[in-house]
């Protein structure tokens, strides 16, 4: 007989019983964020089966698609909340397939300048509307609460970004 997993509140209660001095309050918010991420991934995952792009590649190509100037790779990583290593790996894959071009930054040889190529623009133009349609369907029932959720998430980003430099 399979065991039943405890609810998030049950898990918190068990941790509180096991270790009463442990502050488990972050689990409430982080658990919801992980659940939202999982639901979003599950909703768009079918779109990537056989697609010419992966989810991280789409995430990188979207802001590059309409950038008016070359973008510094490290700045793109920071803006997206990605590690520099993760960004470098994604950019390398996109470059090998001809979707982006990287050139040395004349102002700082350590930094690469990134631009989307015509092939990259065509790939994102063909794929991104399909992803947006799946996201629209997923969020349709949010209705009038949408702006409240956006404000709360914007505030969360602000708090997390301001606290990210703490030791």
């Amino acid at each position: 007989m399979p065991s039943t997993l405890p609810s998030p509140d049950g898990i918190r209660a068990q941790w509180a019983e096991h270790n009463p001095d442990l502050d488990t309050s972050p689990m409430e918010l982080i658990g919801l964020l992980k659940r939202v991420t999982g639901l979003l991934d599950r909703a768009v995952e079918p779109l990537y089966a056989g697609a010419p792009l992966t989810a991280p590649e789409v995430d990188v190509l979207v802001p590059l698609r309409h950038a008016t100037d070359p973008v510094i790779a490290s700045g793109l990583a920071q803006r997206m909340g990605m590690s520099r290593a993760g960004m470098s790996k994604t950019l390398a894959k996109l470059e090998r397939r001809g979707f982006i071009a990287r050139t040395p930054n004349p102002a700082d040889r350590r930094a690469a300048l990134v631009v989307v190529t015509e092939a990259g623009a065509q790939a994102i133009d063909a794929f991104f509307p399909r992803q947006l349609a799946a996201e629209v369907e997923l969020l349709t029932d949010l209705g009038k609460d949408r702006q409240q959720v956006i404000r709360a998430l914007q505030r969360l980003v602000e708090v997390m970004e301001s606290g990210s430099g703490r030791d």
Side-chain angles (χ1 to χ4, degrees):
M1 176 178 203
S3 64
T4 304
L5 292 173
S7 69
D9 287 340
I11 292 171
R12 285 186 66 200
Q14 288 173 352
W15 272 107
E17 185 178 316
H18 174 74
N19 188 344
D21 295 329
L22 186 63
D23 178 10
T24 61
S25 62
M27 291 176 69
E28 185 176 24
L29 180 58
I30 299 302
L32 287 170
L33 290 171
K34 288 180 178 183
R35 180 82 175 129
V36 165
T37 300
L39 292 167
L40 176 59
D41 289 347
R42 189 169 62 192
V44 298
E45 184 179 303
L47 299 174
Y48 289 98
L53 298 166
T54 65
E57 291 170 343
V58 168
D59 290 344
V60 169
L61 284 175
V62 166
L64 289 175
R65 172 60 178 101
H66 298 288
T68 55
D69 295 310
V71 175
I72 296 173
S74 61
L76 183 61
Q78 183 177 5
R79 176 177 173 248
M80 296 180 62
M82 288 179 69
S83 69
R84 288 183 182 192
M87 178 60 69
S88 182
K89 182 178 177 181
T90 299
L91 291 174
K93 288 179 180 179
L94 288 167
E95 187 176 36
R96 277 194 301 275
R97 295 198 334 270
F99 292 151
I100 60 125
R102 289 190 284 187
T103 58
N105 183 348
D108 181 357
R109 292 190 339 214
R110 297 168 296 160
L113 296 176
V114 182
V115 295
V116 69
T117 63
E118 184 59 35
Q122 289 175 3
I124 197 67
D125 288 354
F127 184 82
F128 190 58
R130 293 177 45 219
Q131 180 172 320
L132 277 178
E135 293 168 355
V136 165
E137 183 176 331
L138 187 63
L139 300 174
T140 294
D141 292 339
L142 197 53
K144 64 180 178 160
D145 295 328
R146 180 185 179 92
Q147 287 306 312
Q148 181 181 352
V149 171
I150 289 171
R151 282 191 300 275
L153 290 172
Q154 286 171 333
R155 176 68 180 128
L156 180 61
V157 167
E158 290 170 7
V159 168
M160 292 177 77
E161 284 179 343
S162 69
S164 65
R166 293 184 188 152
D167 292 330

